[in-house]
Amino acid sequence: MLILTAGQVRQVLDGAEQQVVEAVSRAYRLHAAGRTVLPHSLFLRFPEEARNRIIALPAYLGDAGDAGAREPVAGVKWISSFPGNTAAGLERASAVIVLNSMRTGHPDVLLEGSVISARRTAASAALAAATLAPREPQTGVTLIGCGVINFQVLVFLRALLPELAEVTLFDLDPARARAFAERCAARLPGLRTAIAERSEDALAAHRLVSLATTAATPHLDPSPCPPGTLLLHLSLRDLAPETILSSVNIVDDGDHVCRESTSLHLAEQQAGHRDFIADSIGAILTGGRRERDPEALTVFSPFGLGVLDLAVADLVRHRAQEQGLGTDVPDFLPAPAQ
């Protein structure tokens, strides 16, 4: 068993944004081609504390059938979300990822998963922003929710959209927004940063918006958004069904995203169908760039497919082995019976 810690995962992923985006893009295209196995995620909830949950995301990522392609990989991510952690100075999310051998089925790699999860989410968002591009350059972005996910979104957006020069921040906790702005100044020099006092002002600032909140129910009115805005709806529960039904909706997988009381699930329940879903990101990546409607609101709602975690975890595994990182535990599994 090879064990990779959070620090080691960060070491191999820092500065590797392009490679992570390529891994995520490949996973989306393989999923669109039917070369994945992706059971529904399993949500473990607790009656005493409805906000808390732990989710299992099992998956299989096949190969493209071409020479030199990466070998198939199977595994599972086990990720918790305890929003109350932030008040105690702890990270909201924690996770592990297990990769299994496709030859024996044995677990052979154990990775800290929250770093991988944040970066595959951010890579997915940035890939959607670059793929669902408007005619004019995207020079600014609004971030609603100033936590770990949106900081990584900003890092990946800067990697894919070099013209991005300005970010507007909004968080219900002004102190978090200020701390986020200070981090931007330290890590992303040259990026102009503004803090909005109201969500309405933040939404009106740019035609690219990333939503990464801990909201459990719809709370956001996107009417201040300029025509042609793309909402990266990463937290999945910020928008009312009426907003979803009146928007151009792009998803990662309609069957997965219309579950667990997401905004799209609520829209499906209200409408009685899923015809409001215009396309999937995998189909768009396979078929070519799709230009945003300059007048409509476009909403990208990625459920967060387990195959993305496998793709990035496999990238981490190979880069770590090349660099000699990780702890090998040869006796983790029982010895063969004699």
Side-chain angles (χ1 to χ4, degrees):
M1 172 74 76
L2 177 66
I3 299 176
L4 293 164
T5 66
Q8 292 163 338
V9 172
R10 285 194 188 93
Q11 184 174 335
V12 299
L13 289 182
D14 284 349
E17 286 79 22
Q18 292 291 345
Q19 293 94 323
V20 173
V21 170
E22 289 168 7
V24 166
S25 177
R26 175 179 174 272
Y28 274 143
R29 286 182 278 110
L30 286 171
H31 184 60
R35 304 188 74 90
T36 64
V37 179
L38 200 62
H40 280 147
S41 303
L42 177 65
F43 282 66
L44 177 63
R45 300 185 186 275
F46 310 97
E48 298 83 6
E49 187 56 69
R51 290 194 308 164
N52 297 338
R53 63 181 188 260
I54 311 178
I55 312 171
L57 290 83
Y60 165 79
L61 182 63
D63 61 39
D66 52 355
R70 281 203 187 277
E71 295 181 356
V73 59
V76 63
K77 178 175 74 172
W78 180 237
I79 182 166
S80 71
S81 175
F82 279 52
N85 282 354
T86 56
L90 301 173
E91 294 293 346
R92 174 188 61 83
S94 60
V96 293
I97 297 174
V98 177
L99 301 182
N100 292 73
S101 166
M102 288 303 301
R103 182 177 58 84
T104 65
H106 291 175
D108 54 11
V109 188
L110 176 68
L111 309 94
E112 195 285 328
S114 68
V115 174
I116 290 170
S117 189
R119 299 201 188 192
R120 65 83 152 145
T121 302
S124 170
L127 180 63
T131 304
L132 305 168
R135 293 188 181 95
E136 67 279 359
Q138 302 180 94
T139 60
V141 61
T142 288
L143 306 180
I144 306 289
C146 295
V148 171
I149 298 297
N150 258 343
F151 189 81
Q152 287 302 323
V153 168
L154 189 56
V155 169
F156 276 84
L157 284 173
R158 290 267 285 181
L160 267 65
L161 304 176
E163 67 274 16
L164 196 73
E166 184 176 356
V167 58
T168 298
L169 308 174
F170 176 78
D171 196 283
L172 291 176
D173 181 352
R176 280 170 61 85
R178 290 193 296 270
F180 194 103
E182 292 171 1
R183 191 178 180 195
C184 289
R187 291 277 306 276
L188 301 168
L191 183 69
R192 297 191 301 274
T193 304
I195 299 175
E197 293 185 2
R198 304 185 309 150
S199 61
E200 295 87 344
D201 299 329
L203 290 170
H206 307 289
R207 287 182 171 85
L208 179 61
V209 179
S210 177
L211 308 177
T213 75
T214 58
T217 56
H219 64 99
L220 200 63
D221 175 10
S223 59
C225 292
T229 294
L230 171 63
L231 287 178
L232 304 170
H233 187 207
L234 306 182
S235 33
L236 293 177
R237 296 169 178 84
D238 302 278
L239 304 176
E242 293 76 12
T243 298
I244 296 298
L245 293 173
S246 63
S247 301
V248 178
N249 291 284
I250 311 298
V251 301
D252 51 5
D253 185 294
D255 192 39
H256 283 258
V257 79
C258 289
R259 296 180 68 237
E260 297 294 334
S261 298
T262 65
S263 295
L264 280 83
H265 188 197
L266 299 179
E268 179 190 30
Q269 291 174 329
Q270 181 170 310
H273 58 74
R274 297 178 183 174
D275 296 346
F276 54 84
I277 296 177
D279 216 335
S280 74
I281 188 67
I284 294 170
L285 289 168
T286 301
R289 181 176 178 270
R290 174 178 177 140
E291 192 169 278
R292 287 211 304 261
D293 186 324
E295 300 301 324
L297 183 69
T298 299
V299 179
F300 174 59
S301 300
F303 190 73
L305 305 181
V307 290
L308 306 187
D309 298 292
L310 294 192
V312 178
D314 194 43
L315 173 68
V316 169
R317 180 239 302 265
H318 286 283
R319 288 173 66 92
Q321 288 174 329
E322 290 169 359
Q323 298 176 32
L325 297 174
T327 301
D328 189 29
V329 183
D331 58 351
F332 183 85
L333 296 174
Q338 300 297 324

